Amino acid sequence: MNRSTVLAALRVGTVAAGLVCFVAVAVFVFDLPPPPETGDGVPSGFAFAFALIGTAVAGVVTVVGYGLPAGGGRLSVGPLADRSSTYRLAAGGAAAAVLGLALAFGLAFLAAGMASVTAWVVGVGLLVGGLVSVALAGLAVGVRIVADAVRGE
């Protein structure tokens, strides 16, 4: 295997792992029992907190995985595969943030029950992943600009 094929496989595998984590967290949240009427809801609260952390990690893994170098071969697929990693990182992050906002503040208010909670948690994860991705892309562009200025180009 050459380097290009390995990069493409790494990118596809990372995005797939992030998406599988999203599905796992969504199923976990959908199956959470409601907090008790009496007493404290500490176990439910901890479960909800772990779900939020899990979906944020899944969002970062998915969007940063999309921003990895596209590589070559049959696994170099998807929109913007011919663009630079920084461009894909920024575009993927922006798309994930917009989708996350739509889920968290749109679909979550239209749905009812645990479907609403699940949409909100997944939306928050996409929003966090998108914002982290856009921040990393901005950092990469800033480092590149400073490096070019230091070299005198």
Side-chain angles (χ1 to χ4, degrees), residues 25 46-60 121 124-125 128:
V25 169
F46 274 122
F48 188 73
F50 287 135
L52 283 175
I53 292 169
T55 193
V57 169
V60 171
V121 168
V124 167
V128 168

Side-chain angles (χ1 to χ4, degrees), residues 59-116:
V60 171
V61 168
T62 302
V63 179
V64 170
Y66 181 70
L68 291 175
R74 293 186 318 217
L75 293 177
S76 179
V77 297
L80 307 176
D82 57 336
R83 301 290 181 136
S84 71
S85 294
T86 307
Y87 186 86
R88 271 195 325 277
L89 193 61
V98 168
L99 181 62
L101 281 173
L103 284 174
F105 296 110
L107 184 63
F109 289 108
L110 295 175
M114 289 311 288
S116 172

